[in-house]
Amino acid sequence: QVQLVESGGGLVQAGGSLRLSCAASGRTFSSYAMGWFRQAPGKEREFVASISRSSVTTYYADFVKGRFTISRDDAKNTVYLQINSLKPEDTAVYYCNSGSVAATLKSAIFASWGQGTQVTVSS
């Protein structure tokens, strides 16, 4: 089982950028598809993006519209989420998680979550 720690969040102005990181423990990181999710205040957690093993395929939520890029570095056991052109509605706690298939992470049910990283966008 992979343990995950998110970082890289912060307070930024609208239009700014952030790169979130998710560091995973364990030697089997490369065997997992990885995904990013977010939860805004008062809302349910939602899918943001996922990436397959070996970075073959990526998937994004419709609201991303080219502003987010997911990537992974298996040598560092880390998955990243680059967020550009930040909007106030991007304010949320961002989480990562792992699974078997990137295409199905969007609707997967996870046993546990990390602490997430807070992203706050000011207008």
Side-chain angles (χ1 to χ4, degrees):
Q1 186 174 355
V2 177
Q3 294 184 325
L4 307 166
V5 178
E6 303 91 344
S7 64
L11 173 62
V12 296
Q13 290 187 335
S17 299
L18 281 175
R19 188 175 81 155
L20 309 183
S21 299
C22 170
S25 63
R27 296 177 294 175
T28 59
F29 175 78
S30 61
S31 300
Y32 291 92
M34 298 298 298
W36 282 98
F37 303 79
R38 70 183 188 182
Q39 186 168 20
K43 296 187 177 181
E44 293 188 352
R45 188 154 23 210
E46 63 180 349
F47 169 79
V48 175
S50 62
I51 186 167
S52 66
R53 290 169 286 184
S54 301
S55 304
V56 173
T57 312
T58 57
Y59 300 87
Y60 294 95
D62 291 341
F63 64 77
V64 167
K65 295 182 179 179
R67 297 187 298 122
F68 294 21
T69 302
I70 188 171
S71 62
R72 65 188 296 162
D73 185 339
D74 289 345
K76 296 182 178 179
N77 281 11
T78 301
V79 61
Y80 303 98
L81 185 69
Q82 177 70 40
I83 313 175
N84 299 325
S85 302
L86 278 157
K87 304 176 181 180
E89 51 263 43
D90 294 321
T91 294
V93 179
Y94 285 71
Y95 303 87
C96 64
N97 221 316
S98 61
S100 299
V101 180
T104 59
L105 283 183
K106 178 178 182 178
S107 55
I109 298 175
F110 299 97
S112 63
W113 294 89
Q115 84 287 350
T117 186
Q118 175 72 50
V119 172
T120 304
V121 185
S122 62
S123 58

PDB file of all heavy atoms in Angstrom, residues 43-80:
ATOM      1  N   LYS A  43     -18.428  21.684  -0.117  1.00  0.00           N
ATOM      2  CA  LYS A  43     -18.694  20.873  -1.308  1.00  0.00           C
ATOM      3  C   LYS A  43     -18.093  19.489  -1.158  1.00  0.00           C
ATOM      4  O   LYS A  43     -17.220  19.260  -0.327  1.00  0.00           O
ATOM      5  CB  LYS A  43     -18.132  21.559  -2.547  1.00  0.00           C
ATOM      6  CG  LYS A  43     -18.795  22.890  -2.873  1.00  0.00           C
ATOM      7  CD  LYS A  43     -18.312  23.434  -4.203  1.00  0.00           C
ATOM      8  CE  LYS A  43     -19.019  24.727  -4.567  1.00  0.00           C
ATOM      9  NZ  LYS A  43     -18.555  25.248  -5.893  1.00  0.00           N
ATOM     10  N   GLU A  44     -18.545  18.578  -1.993  1.00  0.00           N
ATOM     11  CA  GLU A  44     -17.993  17.239  -1.987  1.00  0.00           C
ATOM     12  C   GLU A  44     -16.641  17.219  -2.696  1.00  0.00           C
ATOM     13  O   GLU A  44     -16.346  18.063  -3.552  1.00  0.00           O
ATOM     14  CB  GLU A  44     -18.963  16.271  -2.663  1.00  0.00           C
ATOM     15  CG  GLU A  44     -20.257  16.066  -1.914  1.00  0.00           C
ATOM     16  CD  GLU A  44     -21.101  14.964  -2.511  1.00  0.00           C
ATOM     17  OE1 GLU A  44     -20.758  14.468  -3.598  1.00  0.00           O
ATOM     18  OE2 GLU A  44     -22.116  14.602  -1.890  1.00  0.00           O
ATOM     19  N   ARG A  45     -15.855  16.247  -2.341  1.00  0.00           N
ATOM     20  CA  ARG A  45     -14.573  16.073  -3.016  1.00  0.00           C
ATOM     21  C   ARG A  45     -14.824  15.712  -4.477  1.00  0.00           C
ATOM     22  O   ARG A  45     -15.729  14.930  -4.785  1.00  0.00           O
ATOM     23  CB  ARG A  45     -13.776  14.979  -2.324  1.00  0.00           C
ATOM     24  CG  ARG A  45     -12.358  14.841  -2.815  1.00  0.00           C
ATOM     25  CD  ARG A  45     -11.409  14.236  -1.783  1.00  0.00           C
ATOM     26  NE  ARG A  45     -12.038  13.443  -0.775  1.00  0.00           N
ATOM     27  CZ  ARG A  45     -11.558  13.322   0.459  1.00  0.00           C
ATOM     28  NH1 ARG A  45     -10.463  13.966   0.810  1.00  0.00           N
ATOM     29  NH2 ARG A  45     -12.172  12.561   1.342  1.00  0.00           N
ATOM     30  N   GLU A  46     -14.009  16.281  -5.375  1.00  0.00           N
ATOM     31  CA  GLU A  46     -14.195  16.016  -6.794  1.00  0.00           C
ATOM     32  C   GLU A  46     -12.879  15.660  -7.459  1.00  0.00           C
ATOM     33  O   GLU A  46     -11.792  16.047  -7.024  1.00  0.00           O
ATOM     34  CB  GLU A  46     -14.797  17.245  -7.489  1.00  0.00           C
ATOM     35  CG  GLU A  46     -13.933  18.484  -7.463  1.00  0.00           C
ATOM     36  CD  GLU A  46     -14.586  19.672  -8.163  1.00  0.00           C
ATOM     37  OE1 GLU A  46     -15.610  19.501  -8.844  1.00  0.00           O
ATOM     38  OE2 GLU A  46     -14.037  20.781  -8.031  1.00  0.00           O
ATOM     39  N   PHE A  47     -13.009  14.919  -8.522  1.00  0.00           N
ATOM     40  CA  PHE A  47     -11.861  14.504  -9.327  1.00  0.00           C
ATOM     41  C   PHE A  47     -11.282  15.696 -10.075  1.00  0.00           C
ATOM     42  O   PHE A  47     -12.011  16.538 -10.601  1.00  0.00           O
ATOM     43  CB  PHE A  47     -12.312  13.425 -10.312  1.00  0.00           C
ATOM     44  CG  PHE A  47     -11.308  13.092 -11.369  1.00  0.00           C
ATOM     45  CD1 PHE A  47     -10.231  12.261 -11.089  1.00  0.00           C
ATOM     46  CD2 PHE A  47     -11.449  13.588 -12.649  1.00  0.00           C
ATOM     47  CE1 PHE A  47      -9.317  11.935 -12.074  1.00  0.00           C
ATOM     48  CE2 PHE A  47     -10.547  13.266 -13.645  1.00  0.00           C
ATOM     49  CZ  PHE A  47      -9.474  12.445 -13.357  1.00  0.00           C
ATOM     50  N   VAL A  48      -9.950  15.744 -10.143  1.00  0.00           N
ATOM     51  CA  VAL A  48      -9.264  16.794 -10.895  1.00  0.00           C
ATOM     52  C   VAL A  48      -8.525  16.217 -12.099  1.00  0.00           C
ATOM     53  O   VAL A  48      -8.721  16.659 -13.227  1.00  0.00           O
ATOM     54  CB  VAL A  48      -8.270  17.555  -9.992  1.00  0.00           C
ATOM     55  CG1 VAL A  48      -7.473  18.563 -10.825  1.00  0.00           C
ATOM     56  CG2 VAL A  48      -8.987  18.256  -8.850  1.00  0.00           C
ATOM     57  N   ALA A  49      -7.658  15.238 -11.842  1.00  0.00           N
ATOM     58  CA  ALA A  49      -6.840  14.684 -12.922  1.00  0.00           C
ATOM     59  C   ALA A  49      -6.270  13.347 -12.486  1.00  0.00           C
ATOM     60  O   ALA A  49      -6.151  13.066 -11.298  1.00  0.00           O
ATOM     61  CB  ALA A  49      -5.696  15.632 -13.280  1.00  0.00           C
ATOM     62  N   SER A  50      -5.917  12.524 -13.454  1.00  0.00           N
ATOM     63  CA  SER A  50      -5.246  11.259 -13.157  1.00  0.00           C
ATOM     64  C   SER A  50      -4.219  10.956 -14.233  1.00  0.00           C
ATOM     65  O   SER A  50      -4.300  11.473 -15.356  1.00  0.00           O
ATOM     66  CB  SER A  50      -6.243  10.107 -13.026  1.00  0.00           C
ATOM     67  OG  SER A  50      -6.937   9.906 -14.228  1.00  0.00           O
ATOM     68  N   ILE A  51      -3.275  10.108 -13.866  1.00  0.00           N
ATOM     69  CA  ILE A  51      -2.203   9.737 -14.786  1.00  0.00           C
ATOM     70  C   ILE A  51      -1.947   8.249 -14.631  1.00  0.00           C
ATOM     71  O   ILE A  51      -1.920   7.714 -13.523  1.00  0.00           O
ATOM     72  CB  ILE A  51      -0.938  10.581 -14.511  1.00  0.00           C
ATOM     73  CG1 ILE A  51       0.146  10.313 -15.552  1.00  0.00           C
ATOM     74  CG2 ILE A  51      -0.401  10.345 -13.093  1.00  0.00           C
ATOM     75  CD1 ILE A  51       1.287  11.342 -15.513  1.00  0.00           C
ATOM     76  N   SER A  52      -1.752   7.581 -15.747  1.00  0.00           N
ATOM     77  CA  SER A  52      -1.549   6.138 -15.734  1.00  0.00           C
ATOM     78  C   SER A  52      -0.119   5.794 -15.339  1.00  0.00           C
ATOM     79  O   SER A  52       0.754   6.660 -15.250  1.00  0.00           O
ATOM     80  CB  SER A  52      -1.857   5.558 -17.103  1.00  0.00           C
ATOM     81  OG  SER A  52      -0.900   6.038 -18.048  1.00  0.00           O
ATOM     82  N   ARG A  53       0.121   4.526 -15.123  1.00  0.00           N
ATOM     83  CA  ARG A  53       1.477   4.056 -14.937  1.00  0.00           C
ATOM     84  C   ARG A  53       2.308   4.418 -16.161  1.00  0.00           C
ATOM     85  O   ARG A  53       1.810   4.402 -17.288  1.00  0.00           O
ATOM     86  CB  ARG A  53       1.485   2.545 -14.719  1.00  0.00           C
ATOM     87  CG  ARG A  53       0.906   2.137 -13.373  1.00  0.00           C
ATOM     88  CD  ARG A  53       0.678   0.648 -13.305  1.00  0.00           C
ATOM     89  NE  ARG A  53      -0.486   0.256 -14.102  1.00  0.00           N
ATOM     90  CZ  ARG A  53      -0.950  -0.974 -14.161  1.00  0.00           C
ATOM     91  NH1 ARG A  53      -0.346  -1.949 -13.506  1.00  0.00           N
ATOM     92  NH2 ARG A  53      -2.008  -1.261 -14.891  1.00  0.00           N
ATOM     93  N   SER A  54       3.523   4.741 -15.946  1.00  0.00           N
ATOM     94  CA  SER A  54       4.460   5.120 -17.008  1.00  0.00           C
ATOM     95  C   SER A  54       4.023   6.366 -17.778  1.00  0.00           C
ATOM     96  O   SER A  54       4.531   6.616 -18.871  1.00  0.00           O
ATOM     97  CB  SER A  54       4.646   3.948 -17.995  1.00  0.00           C
ATOM     98  OG  SER A  54       5.126   2.805 -17.321  1.00  0.00           O
ATOM     99  N   SER A  55       3.083   7.134 -17.208  1.00  0.00           N
ATOM    100  CA  SER A  55       2.654   8.416 -17.805  1.00  0.00           C
ATOM    101  C   SER A  55       2.106   8.271 -19.219  1.00  0.00           C
ATOM    102  O   SER A  55       2.175   9.203 -20.022  1.00  0.00           O
ATOM    103  CB  SER A  55       3.829   9.413 -17.826  1.00  0.00           C
ATOM    104  OG  SER A  55       4.361   9.593 -16.531  1.00  0.00           O
ATOM    105  N   VAL A  56       1.559   7.134 -19.543  1.00  0.00           N
ATOM    106  CA  VAL A  56       1.071   6.890 -20.903  1.00  0.00           C
ATOM    107  C   VAL A  56      -0.155   7.743 -21.202  1.00  0.00           C
ATOM    108  O   VAL A  56      -0.283   8.319 -22.287  1.00  0.00           O
ATOM    109  CB  VAL A  56       0.747   5.398 -21.084  1.00  0.00           C
ATOM    110  CG1 VAL A  56       0.088   5.165 -22.440  1.00  0.00           C
ATOM    111  CG2 VAL A  56       2.017   4.562 -20.944  1.00  0.00           C
ATOM    112  N   THR A  57      -1.049   7.831 -20.220  1.00  0.00           N
ATOM    113  CA  THR A  57      -2.323   8.510 -20.445  1.00  0.00           C
ATOM    114  C   THR A  57      -2.656   9.419 -19.277  1.00  0.00           C
ATOM    115  O   THR A  57      -2.374   9.075 -18.129  1.00  0.00           O
ATOM    116  CB  THR A  57      -3.461   7.484 -20.607  1.00  0.00           C
ATOM    117  OG1 THR A  57      -3.060   6.470 -21.540  1.00  0.00           O
ATOM    118  CG2 THR A  57      -4.722   8.160 -21.120  1.00  0.00           C
ATOM    119  N   THR A  58      -3.257  10.557 -19.586  1.00  0.00           N
ATOM    120  CA  THR A  58      -3.744  11.464 -18.542  1.00  0.00           C
ATOM    121  C   THR A  58      -5.221  11.768 -18.778  1.00  0.00           C
ATOM    122  O   THR A  58      -5.702  11.726 -19.920  1.00  0.00           O
ATOM    123  CB  THR A  58      -2.955  12.780 -18.525  1.00  0.00           C
ATOM    124  OG1 THR A  58      -3.031  13.389 -19.819  1.00  0.00           O
ATOM    125  CG2 THR A  58      -1.493  12.544 -18.156  1.00  0.00           C
ATOM    126  N   TYR A  59      -5.902  12.049 -17.693  1.00  0.00           N
ATOM    127  CA  TYR A  59      -7.322  12.384 -17.744  1.00  0.00           C
ATOM    128  C   TYR A  59      -7.538  13.637 -16.903  1.00  0.00           C
ATOM    129  O   TYR A  59      -6.896  13.816 -15.878  1.00  0.00           O
ATOM    130  CB  TYR A  59      -8.168  11.245 -17.188  1.00  0.00           C
ATOM    131  CG  TYR A  59      -8.015   9.947 -17.925  1.00  0.00           C
ATOM    132  CD1 TYR A  59      -7.007   9.039 -17.582  1.00  0.00           C
ATOM    133  CD2 TYR A  59      -8.853   9.616 -18.984  1.00  0.00           C
ATOM    134  CE1 TYR A  59      -6.856   7.849 -18.266  1.00  0.00           C
ATOM    135  CE2 TYR A  59      -8.715   8.414 -19.664  1.00  0.00           C
ATOM    136  CZ  TYR A  59      -7.700   7.540 -19.301  1.00  0.00           C
ATOM    137  OH  TYR A  59      -7.552   6.368 -19.991  1.00  0.00           O
ATOM    138  N   TYR A  60      -8.462  14.465 -17.340  1.00  0.00           N
ATOM    139  CA  TYR A  60      -8.739  15.699 -16.627  1.00  0.00           C
ATOM    140  C   TYR A  60     -10.242  15.927 -16.489  1.00  0.00           C
ATOM    141  O   TYR A  60     -11.021  15.544 -17.357  1.00  0.00           O
ATOM    142  CB  TYR A  60      -8.125  16.891 -17.372  1.00  0.00           C
ATOM    143  CG  TYR A  60      -6.620  16.882 -17.406  1.00  0.00           C
ATOM    144  CD1 TYR A  60      -5.932  16.342 -18.495  1.00  0.00           C
ATOM    145  CD2 TYR A  60      -5.882  17.391 -16.349  1.00  0.00           C
ATOM    146  CE1 TYR A  60      -4.548  16.319 -18.517  1.00  0.00           C
ATOM    147  CE2 TYR A  60      -4.493  17.377 -16.368  1.00  0.00           C
ATOM    148  CZ  TYR A  60      -3.832  16.844 -17.455  1.00  0.00           C
ATOM    149  OH  TYR A  60      -2.453  16.829 -17.472  1.00  0.00           O
ATOM    150  N   ALA A  61     -10.596  16.597 -15.403  1.00  0.00           N
ATOM    151  CA  ALA A  61     -11.981  17.038 -15.252  1.00  0.00           C
ATOM    152  C   ALA A  61     -12.260  18.136 -16.265  1.00  0.00           C
ATOM    153  O   ALA A  61     -11.344  18.854 -16.686  1.00  0.00           O
ATOM    154  CB  ALA A  61     -12.202  17.546 -13.831  1.00  0.00           C
ATOM    155  N   ASP A  62     -13.502  18.268 -16.635  1.00  0.00           N
ATOM    156  CA  ASP A  62     -13.871  19.274 -17.647  1.00  0.00           C
ATOM    157  C   ASP A  62     -13.512  20.688 -17.218  1.00  0.00           C
ATOM    158  O   ASP A  62     -13.128  21.517 -18.058  1.00  0.00           O
ATOM    159  CB  ASP A  62     -15.372  19.189 -17.939  1.00  0.00           C
ATOM    160  CG  ASP A  62     -15.738  17.917 -18.677  1.00  0.00           C
ATOM    161  OD1 ASP A  62     -14.835  17.285 -19.271  1.00  0.00           O
ATOM    162  OD2 ASP A  62     -16.931  17.549 -18.666  1.00  0.00           O
ATOM    163  N   PHE A  63     -13.590  20.980 -15.947  1.00  0.00           N
ATOM    164  CA  PHE A  63     -13.360  22.357 -15.505  1.00  0.00           C
ATOM    165  C   PHE A  63     -11.891  22.760 -15.625  1.00  0.00           C
ATOM    166  O   PHE A  63     -11.563  23.937 -15.522  1.00  0.00           O
ATOM    167  CB  PHE A  63     -13.838  22.559 -14.062  1.00  0.00           C
ATOM    168  CG  PHE A  63     -13.087  21.752 -13.033  1.00  0.00           C
ATOM    169  CD1 PHE A  63     -11.820  22.138 -12.604  1.00  0.00           C
ATOM    170  CD2 PHE A  63     -13.634  20.601 -12.502  1.00  0.00           C
ATOM    171  CE1 PHE A  63     -11.130  21.400 -11.661  1.00  0.00           C
ATOM    172  CE2 PHE A  63     -12.952  19.855 -11.554  1.00  0.00           C
ATOM    173  CZ  PHE A  63     -11.694  20.251 -11.142  1.00  0.00           C
ATOM    174  N   VAL A  64     -10.996  21.793 -15.821  1.00  0.00           N
ATOM    175  CA  VAL A  64      -9.562  22.092 -15.911  1.00  0.00           C
ATOM    176  C   VAL A  64      -9.273  22.991 -17.106  1.00  0.00           C
ATOM    177  O   VAL A  64      -8.498  23.943 -17.008  1.00  0.00           O
ATOM    178  CB  VAL A  64      -8.753  20.788 -15.988  1.00  0.00           C
ATOM    179  CG1 VAL A  64      -7.329  21.057 -16.406  1.00  0.00           C
ATOM    180  CG2 VAL A  64      -8.807  20.069 -14.653  1.00  0.00           C
ATOM    181  N   LYS A  65      -9.842  22.662 -18.238  1.00  0.00           N
ATOM    182  CA  LYS A  65      -9.754  23.475 -19.459  1.00  0.00           C
ATOM    183  C   LYS A  65      -8.334  23.919 -19.782  1.00  0.00           C
ATOM    184  O   LYS A  65      -8.082  25.089 -20.052  1.00  0.00           O
ATOM    185  CB  LYS A  65     -10.683  24.676 -19.340  1.00  0.00           C
ATOM    186  CG  LYS A  65     -12.143  24.276 -19.282  1.00  0.00           C
ATOM    187  CD  LYS A  65     -13.065  25.492 -19.217  1.00  0.00           C
ATOM    188  CE  LYS A  65     -14.518  25.063 -19.186  1.00  0.00           C
ATOM    189  NZ  LYS A  65     -15.440  26.219 -19.089  1.00  0.00           N
ATOM    190  N   GLY A  66      -7.392  23.014 -19.707  1.00  0.00           N
ATOM    191  CA  GLY A  66      -6.028  23.312 -20.105  1.00  0.00           C
ATOM    192  C   GLY A  66      -5.182  24.034 -19.079  1.00  0.00           C
ATOM    193  O   GLY A  66      -4.019  24.318 -19.332  1.00  0.00           O
ATOM    194  N   ARG A  67      -5.737  24.334 -17.927  1.00  0.00           N
ATOM    195  CA  ARG A  67      -4.974  25.075 -16.927  1.00  0.00           C
ATOM    196  C   ARG A  67      -4.144  24.175 -16.017  1.00  0.00           C
ATOM    197  O   ARG A  67      -3.196  24.635 -15.389  1.00  0.00           O
ATOM    198  CB  ARG A  67      -5.939  25.905 -16.072  1.00  0.00           C
ATOM    199  CG  ARG A  67      -6.714  26.963 -16.830  1.00  0.00           C
ATOM    200  CD  ARG A  67      -7.510  27.825 -15.877  1.00  0.00           C
ATOM    201  NE  ARG A  67      -8.512  27.042 -15.138  1.00  0.00           N
ATOM    202  CZ  ARG A  67      -8.551  26.964 -13.814  1.00  0.00           C
ATOM    203  NH1 ARG A  67      -7.643  27.576 -13.080  1.00  0.00           N
ATOM    204  NH2 ARG A  67      -9.507  26.255 -13.214  1.00  0.00           N
ATOM    205  N   PHE A  68      -4.519  22.901 -15.920  1.00  0.00           N
ATOM    206  CA  PHE A  68      -3.842  21.971 -15.013  1.00  0.00           C
ATOM    207  C   PHE A  68      -3.058  20.950 -15.819  1.00  0.00           C
ATOM    208  O   PHE A  68      -3.508  20.515 -16.888  1.00  0.00           O
ATOM    209  CB  PHE A  68      -4.869  21.212 -14.158  1.00  0.00           C
ATOM    210  CG  PHE A  68      -5.651  22.032 -13.174  1.00  0.00           C
ATOM    211  CD1 PHE A  68      -5.796  23.400 -13.300  1.00  0.00           C
ATOM    212  CD2 PHE A  68      -6.264  21.408 -12.109  1.00  0.00           C
ATOM    213  CE1 PHE A  68      -6.542  24.134 -12.390  1.00  0.00           C
ATOM    214  CE2 PHE A  68      -7.020  22.124 -11.184  1.00  0.00           C
ATOM    215  CZ  PHE A  68      -7.151  23.492 -11.331  1.00  0.00           C
ATOM    216  N   THR A  69      -1.920  20.557 -15.274  1.00  0.00           N
ATOM    217  CA  THR A  69      -1.136  19.485 -15.884  1.00  0.00           C
ATOM    218  C   THR A  69      -0.674  18.521 -14.803  1.00  0.00           C
ATOM    219  O   THR A  69      -0.017  18.929 -13.845  1.00  0.00           O
ATOM    220  CB  THR A  69       0.099  20.035 -16.619  1.00  0.00           C
ATOM    221  OG1 THR A  69      -0.314  20.975 -17.622  1.00  0.00           O
ATOM    222  CG2 THR A  69       0.862  18.906 -17.294  1.00  0.00           C
ATOM    223  N   ILE A  70      -1.013  17.259 -14.974  1.00  0.00           N
ATOM    224  CA  ILE A  70      -0.555  16.224 -14.044  1.00  0.00           C
ATOM    225  C   ILE A  70       0.662  15.532 -14.641  1.00  0.00           C
ATOM    226  O   ILE A  70       0.730  15.303 -15.849  1.00  0.00           O
ATOM    227  CB  ILE A  70      -1.674  15.207 -13.735  1.00  0.00           C
ATOM    228  CG1 ILE A  70      -1.258  14.255 -12.623  1.00  0.00           C
ATOM    229  CG2 ILE A  70      -2.118  14.472 -14.990  1.00  0.00           C
ATOM    230  CD1 ILE A  70      -2.397  13.359 -12.125  1.00  0.00           C
ATOM    231  N   SER A  71       1.615  15.232 -13.803  1.00  0.00           N
ATOM    232  CA  SER A  71       2.820  14.521 -14.246  1.00  0.00           C
ATOM    233  C   SER A  71       3.345  13.682 -13.081  1.00  0.00           C
ATOM    234  O   SER A  71       2.914  13.851 -11.941  1.00  0.00           O
ATOM    235  CB  SER A  71       3.890  15.507 -14.723  1.00  0.00           C
ATOM    236  OG  SER A  71       4.288  16.368 -13.674  1.00  0.00           O
ATOM    237  N   ARG A  72       4.260  12.805 -13.390  1.00  0.00           N
ATOM    238  CA  ARG A  72       4.827  11.963 -12.334  1.00  0.00           C
ATOM    239  C   ARG A  72       6.298  11.725 -12.590  1.00  0.00           C
ATOM    240  O   ARG A  72       6.747  11.726 -13.744  1.00  0.00           O
ATOM    241  CB  ARG A  72       4.067  10.643 -12.239  1.00  0.00           C
ATOM    242  CG  ARG A  72       4.179   9.751 -13.462  1.00  0.00           C
ATOM    243  CD  ARG A  72       3.224   8.550 -13.363  1.00  0.00           C
ATOM    244  NE  ARG A  72       3.560   7.675 -12.258  1.00  0.00           N
ATOM    245  CZ  ARG A  72       2.731   6.775 -11.745  1.00  0.00           C
ATOM    246  NH1 ARG A  72       1.506   6.645 -12.249  1.00  0.00           N
ATOM    247  NH2 ARG A  72       3.122   5.999 -10.739  1.00  0.00           N
ATOM    248  N   ASP A  73       7.019  11.524 -11.520  1.00  0.00           N
ATOM    249  CA  ASP A  73       8.438  11.178 -11.585  1.00  0.00           C
ATOM    250  C   ASP A  73       8.610   9.910 -10.743  1.00  0.00           C
ATOM    251  O   ASP A  73       8.682   9.984  -9.515  1.00  0.00           O
ATOM    252  CB  ASP A  73       9.291  12.323 -11.045  1.00  0.00           C
ATOM    253  CG  ASP A  73      10.785  12.072 -11.206  1.00  0.00           C
ATOM    254  OD1 ASP A  73      11.179  10.893 -11.352  1.00  0.00           O
ATOM    255  OD2 ASP A  73      11.552  13.026 -11.173  1.00  0.00           O
ATOM    256  N   ASP A  74       8.649   8.771 -11.398  1.00  0.00           N
ATOM    257  CA  ASP A  74       8.710   7.517 -10.666  1.00  0.00           C
ATOM    258  C   ASP A  74      10.028   7.351  -9.912  1.00  0.00           C
ATOM    259  O   ASP A  74      10.082   6.653  -8.903  1.00  0.00           O
ATOM    260  CB  ASP A  74       8.500   6.342 -11.623  1.00  0.00           C
ATOM    261  CG  ASP A  74       7.060   6.258 -12.114  1.00  0.00           C
ATOM    262  OD1 ASP A  74       6.183   6.917 -11.512  1.00  0.00           O
ATOM    263  OD2 ASP A  74       6.811   5.541 -13.099  1.00  0.00           O
ATOM    264  N   ALA A  75      11.075   7.977 -10.392  1.00  0.00           N
ATOM    265  CA  ALA A  75      12.361   7.905  -9.685  1.00  0.00           C
ATOM    266  C   ALA A  75      12.285   8.604  -8.337  1.00  0.00           C
ATOM    267  O   ALA A  75      13.016   8.267  -7.406  1.00  0.00           O
ATOM    268  CB  ALA A  75      13.461   8.519 -10.533  1.00  0.00           C
ATOM    269  N   LYS A  76      11.401   9.612  -8.234  1.00  0.00           N
ATOM    270  CA  LYS A  76      11.239  10.358  -6.988  1.00  0.00           C
ATOM    271  C   LYS A  76       9.974   9.960  -6.236  1.00  0.00           C
ATOM    272  O   LYS A  76       9.642  10.570  -5.224  1.00  0.00           O
ATOM    273  CB  LYS A  76      11.210  11.863  -7.275  1.00  0.00           C
ATOM    274  CG  LYS A  76      12.506  12.400  -7.853  1.00  0.00           C
ATOM    275  CD  LYS A  76      12.426  13.903  -8.079  1.00  0.00           C
ATOM    276  CE  LYS A  76      13.756  14.438  -8.613  1.00  0.00           C
ATOM    277  NZ  LYS A  76      13.696  15.910  -8.862  1.00  0.00           N
ATOM    278  N   ASN A  77       9.265   8.978  -6.751  1.00  0.00           N
ATOM    279  CA  ASN A  77       8.016   8.550  -6.113  1.00  0.00           C
ATOM    280  C   ASN A  77       7.069   9.729  -5.889  1.00  0.00           C
ATOM    281  O   ASN A  77       6.458   9.863  -4.825  1.00  0.00           O
ATOM    282  CB  ASN A  77       8.286   7.841  -4.781  1.00  0.00           C
ATOM    283  CG  ASN A  77       8.715   6.402  -4.960  1.00  0.00           C
ATOM    284  OD1 ASN A  77       9.016   5.962  -6.072  1.00  0.00           O
ATOM    285  ND2 ASN A  77       8.761   5.651  -3.876  1.00  0.00           N
ATOM    286  N   THR A  78       6.950  10.579  -6.879  1.00  0.00           N
ATOM    287  CA  THR A  78       6.183  11.807  -6.707  1.00  0.00           C
ATOM    288  C   THR A  78       5.290  12.063  -7.918  1.00  0.00           C
ATOM    289  O   THR A  78       5.712  11.850  -9.065  1.00  0.00           O
ATOM    290  CB  THR A  78       7.107  13.013  -6.500  1.00  0.00           C
ATOM    291  OG1 THR A  78       7.931  12.775  -5.337  1.00  0.00           O
ATOM    292  CG2 THR A  78       6.321  14.284  -6.271  1.00  0.00           C
ATOM    293  N   VAL A  79       4.095  12.532  -7.652  1.00  0.00           N
ATOM    294  CA  VAL A  79       3.192  12.986  -8.698  1.00  0.00           C
ATOM    295  C   VAL A  79       2.943  14.479  -8.474  1.00  0.00           C
ATOM    296  O   VAL A  79       2.884  14.944  -7.336  1.00  0.00           O
ATOM    297  CB  VAL A  79       1.876  12.183  -8.702  1.00  0.00           C
ATOM    298  CG1 VAL A  79       1.123  12.320  -7.401  1.00  0.00           C
ATOM    299  CG2 VAL A  79       1.004  12.572  -9.888  1.00  0.00           C
ATOM    300  N   TYR A  80       2.846  15.209  -9.561  1.00  0.00           N
ATOM    301  CA  TYR A  80       2.726  16.658  -9.502  1.00  0.00           C
ATOM    302  C   TYR A  80       1.417  17.118 -10.138  1.00  0.00           C
ATOM    303  O   TYR A  80       0.843  16.441 -10.987  1.00  0.00           O
ATOM    304  CB  TYR A  80       3.885  17.324 -10.243  1.00  0.00           C
ATOM    305  CG  TYR A  80       5.241  16.932  -9.748  1.00  0.00           C
ATOM    306  CD1 TYR A  80       5.988  15.948 -10.409  1.00  0.00           C
ATOM    307  CD2 TYR A  80       5.793  17.527  -8.621  1.00  0.00           C
ATOM    308  CE1 TYR A  80       7.238  15.577  -9.960  1.00  0.00           C
ATOM    309  CE2 TYR A  80       7.053  17.163  -8.162  1.00  0.00           C
ATOM    310  CZ  TYR A  80       7.771  16.196  -8.836  1.00  0.00           C
ATOM    311  OH  TYR A  80       9.021  15.826  -8.379  1.00  0.00           O
TER     312      TYR A  80
END
